[in-house]
Amino acid sequence: MTIVSVLLIASVLLLSPRGVFAQAGDANAGKVVYERKCLLCHGEKGDGKGPAAELLVPRPRDFTSGIYKIRTSANKTPSDQDIFNVITHGMPGTSMPAWDVLPDRDRWNVVAYVKTFAPERFKEAPKKLDLPKEVSSSAESLKRGKEMFEAIECNKCHGTEGRADGPSRPELKDEWGQPIAPANLTKRWNFRGGKSRTDIATRLAAGVLGTPMPAFMDSVEKPEDIWHLTNYLLSLGPDDPRYATLITASAAREAIPDDPNAEFWKKMSPQNLPLVGQVVVDPRNFNPAIDLVAVRAAYNDREIAFHLTWDDPSESKAEPDKKIFADAISLQFAPATGSGGERPYFLMGNDADAVYLLRWEQGTGVAEMTANGPTKLQPIAGSEATAKVVFQNGQYRLVIMRALAAKDPSRPAFRQGVFAPIAIQAWEGGAGETGTRMSLTAWYYLRLEEPQSNRRFVVPPVVAVLTLAAMLAIVRAANRRR
Amino acid sequence: MNVLRSRLLHAVLILIIAYAIFTFAIRPPAPRSVLAIYMGVVILATFVYISSNSDSWRNFLRPLRDTLVQPERRLVRLAVVIAIPILLGYYAYTQAAAKAQAPPELRAVHPAPPASIQFRGKEITIQGFDNPLRKDQANLRKNIAAGGETYIRNCMYCHGDNLDGKGHFARGLNPPPANFQDPGTIAMLQEAFLFWRIAKGGPGLPKESTPWNSAMPAWEDRLTEEQIWQVIMYLYDATGQQPRRWEAS
């Protein structure tokens, strides 16, 4: 064999699409894996009625319907590779995890087995979807994409800026009659079928079967509009949330603006924290509405300000008869950090130890409070915190301010350079969240950064000069001794 | 002089190889502090080696001395005298400009269990106690299946469908949910230890285990005694781990 042919084979192997490696699985072997790993959600009969089904949104897939949301095919039949990919990568943002921990063989066998739940569907072969020629992103492409976004009415469901707050949102139902939320296009790490350019273009072209998301291949004006739309969607949000591990408050020389849309805040980069459902105490919140809060913080010699940004599809005030509650958010601190790192229980304290809260509520505004548990809130008399909020296109932006110093021991003082515990809780009242039905973070640390000093420009030259002097001394000493 | 015999070269090689082994061959990677201790030991050993006799010591020093005094090494000498201060200055800069990092949370992950606990007003022995359902061999599969149901309805959100601690709420929790597939969790614990942890959750931990940080719920009020023993059996069955036995004392 010549070197050329070796290179040729190698390049064919490397370049061939992953489908080439598709293997015909063994359904009987797949059944064994399925019953060990999948049954508890998808049910013994594959009907999606496992014991956890009614707690999950979206619900586990019913395989007997043969409807597969994530396809790369032009008709309703997914390819084996499509099913394999969903098993391998999971469905981000849902309780379907990535099963890449299972050997390839097992996954192919499961593919073969789940197909047996709806043999009718697979009589028709998957039809290959041909994406139009790729168009790279540019100012014109983005402009065209935005036009299309409005022309084919993506905004009706996904909202003007893509935050899943469109007017049709409340009416959306899936094939199984369950309410289904449109995707938040600014958080593409949660896209069920992946966030890459090709993934997104394929979803636009082929739609998401079983949901109100149609296939747009034929409704865009020109085929390449699929790519303009893709480029536009990619411009709506970051690729990755890059969650923060520490909240830093910057030192400000000037006055801190209370307007959430002020240039001051826009210049600061967000520190994103993931929020999760509260499932520790009853009633639990298995499907939280708010999964991320972006924090910006600044302080000067008198006050400290927290700028919070989070997505919420509707601005809700309390209407208890409609099961709608006030949207709310609270910043939680430890009144005093004990020696040995002791602090109150992360879930809003307990009977023995209270936490201190800066809690904002739609309609009532901000208040300083203490809490001895999620249902035992106690306003502090003479609250001195202030807040200003903006709600725009499915997003809250809120600035909460307070004096830096503490007036009494029930309030913590914020001190420079100290790692102080901080946590966040949030409620989407429009989705019925109130009380213990919230989303929250564990304890994080807040640190008030020292004002940018010149230390980093002074210390290194001093170190360098001292070392140089020492080196010269050594050379001289060595030569003198000779 | 034979280059391969040079003690200086030996010392440098030993240090490089040791460092490479410690950083690349140890999985999972050792923390930096541990690495520093290992390297300290190696440096000490290398020093003992090169100073084992005065010949060896002189052999080690010779290239260094030559660089400092020999006229034909002037250029090397100049380079070293300039390069080292610059490197140290750069290091000082990275240190002074470094952003603060969140301090690590230290906690005892597996504290000593209590001798017994109060479970819904009933005393249950923990130390030395075994899973009572294991005696009922006839209903083994049934108990495990029931445990699976309890697990998927209650524990999956944090500990994950695959019991690997990667449930969809796990990313927001610190400390993270236990990974039952890991040999460092249930495989080295007794079933009664798990009973205590599941019944009393994070708040039931002693101080050294930072009970205020743990999101592990207390299940005492939601699950019955039987359900907890069943879910424990499911944890071992689904991961293929064996519970540890109590040492006869």
Side-chain angles (χ1 to χ4, degrees):
Chain A
M1 218 165 27
T2 64
I3 291 184
V4 177
S5 61
V6 170
L7 284 179
L8 223 91
I9 292 173
S11 58
V12 166
L13 281 177
L14 284 175
L15 296 176
S16 55
R18 282 153 75 189
V20 170
F21 297 110
Q23 303 168 26
D26 168 2
N28 287 326
K31 183 167 191 270
V32 178
V33 181
Y34 179 92
E35 287 181 350
R36 265 192 94 74
K37 301 287 182 186
C38 322
L39 177 137
L40 285 169
C41 283
H42 295 285
E44 195 173 347
K45 302 194 189 75
D47 53 9
K49 296 212 178 88
E54 80 266 27
L55 300 174
L56 305 176
V57 178
R59 294 198 167 194
R61 184 79 72 262
D62 164 10
F63 298 123
T64 60
S65 69
I67 295 173
Y68 285 84
K69 290 186 180 175
I70 307 302
R71 298 157 302 128
T72 58
S73 52
N75 56 350
K76 292 188 174 173
T77 318
S79 69
D80 285 9
Q81 186 73 47
D82 290 343
I83 306 179
F84 181 84
N85 286 350
V86 169
I87 297 173
T88 305
H89 305 302
M91 296 185 86
T94 77
S95 18
M96 171 70 188
W99 287 101
D100 48 1
V101 285
L102 293 178
D104 272 29
R105 196 63 270 143
D106 283 2
R107 278 177 272 148
W108 284 114
N109 293 343
V110 171
V111 170
Y113 183 62
V114 298
K115 283 167 70 180
T116 65
F117 288 123
E120 290 303 308
R121 164 70 75 219
F122 294 94
K123 284 202 173 128
E124 193 187 335
K127 216 172 99 212
K128 191 166 181 300
L129 171 83
D130 285 313
L131 283 180
K133 192 170 167 295
E134 189 163 343
V135 184
S136 53
S137 191
S138 64
E140 292 107 82
S141 174
L142 291 181
K143 190 163 156 273
R144 175 73 187 162
K146 188 172 190 319
E147 277 166 29
M148 272 294 123
F149 189 80
E150 281 146 24
I152 61 174
E153 299 190 319
C154 306
N155 50 358
K156 272 256 174 89
C157 296
H158 294 287
T160 314
E161 292 179 22
R163 295 198 193 95
D165 60 324
S168 312
R169 178 186 168 107
E171 295 131 42
L172 299 177
K173 293 253 160 62
D174 68 13
E175 195 76 22
W176 297 269
Q178 298 294 328
I180 185 168
N184 183 331
L185 303 178
T186 64
K187 296 177 177 173
R188 60 175 176 274
W189 53 89
N190 279 339
F191 285 3
R192 312 292 192 240
K195 61 175 181 177
S196 77
R197 281 172 67 76
T198 327
D199 288 333
I200 295 172
T202 311
R203 267 342 54 80
L204 289 169
V208 182
L209 209 61
T211 78
M213 169 76 186
F216 281 110
M217 198 63 210
D218 301 320
S219 34
V220 285
E221 268 172 40
K222 291 181 245 141
E224 61 267 29
D225 286 333
I226 290 288
W227 286 108
H228 295 310
L229 263 173
T230 302
N231 291 336
Y232 178 64
L233 296 194
L234 286 169
S235 75
L236 291 178
D239 199 46
D240 202 283
R242 290 205 275 151
Y243 295 122
T245 51
L246 170 73
I247 300 298
T248 304
S250 328
R253 290 210 181 77
E254 69 268 53
I256 302 168
D258 63 353
D259 172 14
N261 283 339
E263 208 43 47
F264 176 88
W265 296 112
K266 284 185 188 150
K267 276 192 296 200
M268 219 177 262
S269 50
Q271 307 174 80
N272 294 333
L273 296 185
L275 269 68
V276 298
Q278 189 289 113
V279 289
V280 177
V281 295
D282 286 320
R284 293 174 277 174
N285 191 17
F286 295 107
N287 298 287
I290 300 165
D291 64 356
L292 184 154
V293 173
V295 184
R296 293 166 171 86
Y299 73 99
N300 57 24
D301 46 4
R302 275 167 301 116
E303 41 190 14
I304 183 160
F306 297 92
H307 180 285
L308 308 174
T309 308
W310 72 101
D311 292 358
D312 179 329
S314 59
E315 197 177 9
S316 339
K317 297 202 173 73
E319 291 177 76
D321 44 321
K322 285 202 222 150
K323 290 223 168 106
I324 289 182
F325 305 93
D327 293 331
I329 196 160
S330 58
L331 287 170
Q332 169 178 307
F333 304 91
T337 338
S339 57
E342 286 172 54
R343 56 184 80 153
Y345 187 42
F346 81 100
L347 182 48
M348 303 181 83
N350 55 20
D351 287 335
D353 293 293
V355 293
Y356 166 88
L357 303 174
L358 286 170
R359 180 182 159 92
W360 173 87
E361 215 177 276
Q362 178 65 267
T364 45
V366 73
E368 292 181 88
M369 295 193 177
T370 57
N372 285 87
T375 54
K376 293 188 190 156
L377 273 63
Q378 186 73 48
I380 297 178
S383 172
E384 286 176 353
T386 59
K388 215 163 181 179
V389 71
V390 174
F391 182 82
Q392 219 167 20
N393 290 327
Q395 185 171 70
Y396 274 112
R397 273 159 244 158
L398 171 69
V399 172
I400 299 180
M401 288 207 184
R402 208 208 77 171
L404 205 57
K407 230 170 51 177
D408 57 61
S410 62
R411 307 163 148 104
F414 293 97
R415 276 173 300 140
Q416 196 174 292
V418 177
F419 289 98
I422 181 173
I424 297 181
Q425 297 96 25
W427 292 261
E428 208 282 69
E433 291 184 350
T434 186
T436 61
R437 305 201 55 233
M438 62 173 116
S439 50
L440 47 71
T441 71
W443 280 121
Y444 279 82
Y445 281 108
L446 167 74
R447 187 169 178 279
L448 277 57
E449 176 185 69
E450 288 90 357
Q452 276 294 0
S453 71
N454 294 330
R455 248 182 56 148
R456 72 207 147 111
F457 301 114
V458 177
V459 177
V462 172
V463 169
V465 168
L466 286 181
T467 328
L468 184 69
M471 301 277 312
L472 291 176
I474 291 173
V475 172
R476 278 195 56 182
N479 281 301
R480 193 171 317 139
R481 252 217 268 151
R482 198 158 62 115
Chain B
M1 180 183 77
N2 188 340
V3 179
L4 286 179
R5 287 252 189 82
S6 153
R7 287 289 196 266
L8 178 63
L9 186 74
H10 289 184
V12 171
L13 279 181
I14 291 172
L15 293 182
I16 290 178
I17 292 172
Y19 185 77
I21 290 177
F22 293 150
T23 34
F24 299 113
I26 300 181
R27 287 285 163 255
R32 288 204 83 71
S33 52
V34 175
L35 207 75
I37 295 174
Y38 287 175
M39 282 312 288
V41 172
V42 174
I43 290 175
L44 207 72
T46 316
F47 188 75
V48 170
Y49 164 66
I50 53 180
S51 62
S52 55
N53 57 52
S54 52
D55 274 351
S56 156
W57 182 238
R58 240 176 275 128
N59 177 309
F60 172 76
L61 285 183
R62 190 176 312 125
L64 293 177
R65 247 186 89 81
D66 286 355
T67 312
L68 291 181
V69 297
Q70 294 296 343
E72 64 272 20
R73 296 251 181 127
R74 263 198 71 212
L75 275 181
V76 182
R77 184 153 64 234
L78 201 68
V80 169
V81 168
I82 293 173
I84 289 183
I86 289 181
L87 278 177
L88 281 180
Y90 175 73
Y91 176 75
Y93 176 77
T94 59
Q95 291 300 301
K99 285 243 177 259
Q101 298 275 319
E105 299 276 0
L106 301 175
R107 63 189 284 269
V109 181
H110 297 130
S116 68
I117 58 170
Q118 290 294 321
F119 186 87
R120 302 192 187 183
K122 174 186 161 192
E123 173 145 337
I124 292 188
T125 321
I126 296 297
Q127 286 188 19
F129 199 65
D130 288 322
N131 189 341
L133 299 185
R134 294 249 180 232
K135 290 197 207 93
D136 185 4
Q137 276 298 326
N139 286 319
L140 186 72
R141 297 293 349 149
K142 226 177 85 197
N143 281 327
I144 292 174
E149 239 173 79
T150 302
Y151 181 86
I152 209 83
R153 293 178 63 91
N154 295 290
C155 321
M156 175 260 278
Y157 311 90
C158 298
H159 294 285
D161 306 41
N162 196 31
L163 297 95
D164 52 5
K166 295 202 188 118
H168 48 295
F169 291 166
R171 61 159 192 271
L173 305 177
N174 180 22
N179 171 356
F180 302 129
Q181 305 276 8
D182 186 302
T185 62
I186 58 173
M188 49 179 271
L189 300 169
Q190 300 88 351
E191 287 185 287
F193 182 101
L194 296 195
F195 189 95
W196 162 57
R197 286 307 324 276
I198 297 169
K200 299 294 179 185
L205 286 167
K207 263 190 185 145
E208 68 269 23
S209 299
T210 64
W212 47 83
N213 283 347
S214 168
M216 170 67 186
W219 294 94
E220 180 174 7
D221 298 332
R222 261 185 299 231
L223 299 179
T224 63
E225 208 181 315
E226 186 181 28
Q227 281 175 314
I228 296 182
W229 289 120
Q230 286 170 337
V231 83
I232 293 172
M233 289 170 82
Y234 173 76
L235 296 185
Y236 286 103
D237 181 71
T239 54
Q241 315 267 27
Q242 293 298 323
R244 177 161 160 203
R245 313 229 136 259
W246 293 101
E247 276 109 53
S249 55

